[in-house]
Amino acid sequence: MSLFTSLADAAYALARPIVHATDGEAAHNLTLAALQPMPRARHALTSPVLATELAGLRFPNPVGLAPGFDKDARVAHAMPYFGFGFVEVGTLTPLPQEGNLRPRLFRLVEDRAIINRMGFNNGGQAAAAERIACLRRHGLPVPLGINIGANKDSTDRIADYAKGAAAMAPLADYLTVNISSPNTPGLRALQDKGALEALLDGVAAAQPAGATMPVFLKVAPDLEPADIDDIVAVALDKALAAVIVSNTTVARPALASRHAAEAGGLSGAPLTELALRRLRDFRAASGGRLPLIAAGGIASASQAWERIRAGASLVQIYSAMVYEGPGLAGRIARGLERLAVRDGFARVSDAVGVEG
């Protein structure tokens, strides 16, 4: 771990009581404000063991920042300092929107979890595009993904995704089609086979002629076996570059926090086992033919290693940083390097799917 991330973790440990006494959304906004003036990162944490290739992209290491942290692409330039091997911004919608009413973000400290019902709050794709274009002109040492969604009041959500693909594809290393948020009413219905086919056709048609932009699909963990089979069939038929398993859950396991009954998507430690099961389900349903990215409940190198061995080529984190500190990505990446060597793999990527 670098001196920078060690210092960042130490500072966070001192500030954590104050941060956790502050409203979750306010604390998040303060974090973004602190990171925004940082200079652009020029290097990424990597090694021959960690370097990974997926969808024609080279990832310095397989630990990425999940969307939601940097919705409006304000701090992507700084995130490689913390050990991230790729960064995904968004979710971005065609038009700016405020999202749901506050309060809408809750820390479940006793459960090491988060409940959010943000509702795709963001400043819109046009404003983010200006910042991303500036970042692209100066360069970024890691791949940049852009997560696109539909406006809450849209009368044609498939058209919204097509608009997002047209606007953001020229700026992204990959696009993520997010149909898995529980906080936009009806959005998860786009996971149904017919709707998903139409959606992905619209996204493909909206990209510039001859474009080969990798498209990832982000799905919910709250799926039945038949849903998984349908999604896999469509993903393979439409030649998706990867499926991200998974987003937050609407399920409520036993929780200790007073916020347990809040509406919204649950993330963090309680999601660990469910997200792992869904990853294994997608691996089995696809017979290993569909690249997978794991998200949800990953807070350590051992958990990330378990996801990789279960079939994930990459992993993403976000909620765990609230409890583990900003240096978590770097610790996970270095831990993966050690675990790969321990288990006799020359590269972390050689362990993808070895469980089955």
Side-chain angles (χ1 to χ4, degrees):
M1 187 167 60
S2 70
L3 177 61
F4 176 87
T5 52
S6 296
L7 292 173
D9 274 340
Y12 185 75
L14 292 173
R16 184 184 287 116
I18 299 172
V19 171
H20 282 201
T22 306
D23 169 76
E25 187 169 354
H28 181 75
N29 290 335
L30 286 171
T31 300
L32 295 179
L35 293 173
Q36 198 164 349
M38 289 181 63
R40 174 180 56 88
R42 298 177 181 273
H43 305 285
L45 191 165
T46 191
S47 75
V49 178
L50 289 171
T52 299
E53 291 189 6
L54 178 69
L57 301 173
R58 185 184 183 278
F59 296 81
N61 74 67
V63 184
L65 178 66
F69 181 85
D70 188 15
K71 290 177 180 286
D72 290 302
R74 296 183 182 277
V75 300
H77 67 282
M79 300 319 293
Y81 282 119
F82 298 95
F84 287 100
F86 64 106
V87 174
E88 188 171 319
V89 301
T91 297
L92 290 164
T93 55
L95 299 176
Q97 62 181 25
E98 290 296 322
N100 295 323
L101 295 176
R102 301 187 187 196
R104 53 193 182 179
L105 180 66
F106 306 90
R107 298 188 202 91
L108 284 67
V109 176
E110 300 88 343
D111 305 292
R112 303 185 79 77
I114 301 288
I115 290 176
N116 91 82
R117 50 174 180 264
M118 303 299 288
F120 285 174
N121 59 304
N122 72 105
Q125 289 165 0
E130 293 184 10
R131 286 187 286 273
I132 297 170
C134 180
L135 179 61
R136 285 302 194 194
R137 284 195 296 272
H138 293 92
L140 189 68
V142 300
L144 178 72
I146 302 179
N147 186 299
I148 58 174
N151 283 109
K152 181 178 180 178
D153 59 358
S154 174
T155 58
D156 188 343
R157 286 180 172 167
I158 291 178
D160 271 19
Y161 283 96
K163 290 175 185 175
M168 308 313 292
L171 299 169
D173 290 307
Y174 70 85
L175 286 178
T176 294
V177 176
N178 183 2
I179 55 172
S180 54
S181 171
N183 301 315
T184 298
L187 188 74
R188 288 188 173 191
L190 291 172
Q191 294 176 135
D192 295 341
K193 187 174 183 181
L196 181 57
E197 289 175 331
L199 170 62
L200 295 177
D201 284 343
V203 167
Q207 294 190 47
T212 57
M213 168 65 56
V215 176
F216 299 169
L217 178 70
K218 186 163 187 171
V219 299
D222 310 306
L223 295 167
E224 299 296 328
D227 300 325
I228 294 171
D229 290 340
D230 284 346
I231 291 170
V232 166
V234 173
L236 291 171
D237 180 60
K238 303 300 181 183
L240 286 185
V243 171
I244 301 174
V245 187
S246 59
N247 208 324
T248 59
T249 180
V250 296
R252 289 294 183 270
L255 298 169
S257 171
R258 63 187 177 90
H259 296 303
E262 292 288 349
L266 174 70
S267 60
L271 185 56
T272 300
E273 291 305 317
L274 176 59
L276 177 59
R277 287 200 304 271
R278 287 297 167 269
L279 177 70
R280 288 171 171 157
D281 291 341
F282 271 87
R283 176 76 176 184
S286 67
R289 294 177 294 158
L290 181 63
L292 301 172
I293 298 168
I298 299 171
S300 68
S302 60
Q303 289 175 334
W305 187 235
E306 187 175 31
R307 302 293 175 96
I308 289 167
R309 292 175 65 95
S313 296
L314 305 170
V315 301
Q316 291 181 315
I317 63 171
Y318 172 14
S319 295
M321 290 193 296
V322 173
Y323 301 103
E324 303 295 337
L328 179 61
R331 294 198 301 275
I332 290 177
R334 288 304 187 200
L336 286 174
E337 187 174 42
R338 290 191 295 270
L339 289 167
V341 172
R342 181 200 69 182
D343 292 350
F345 295 99
R347 297 174 295 273
V348 169
S349 58
D350 292 339
V352 173
V354 294
E355 273 191 6

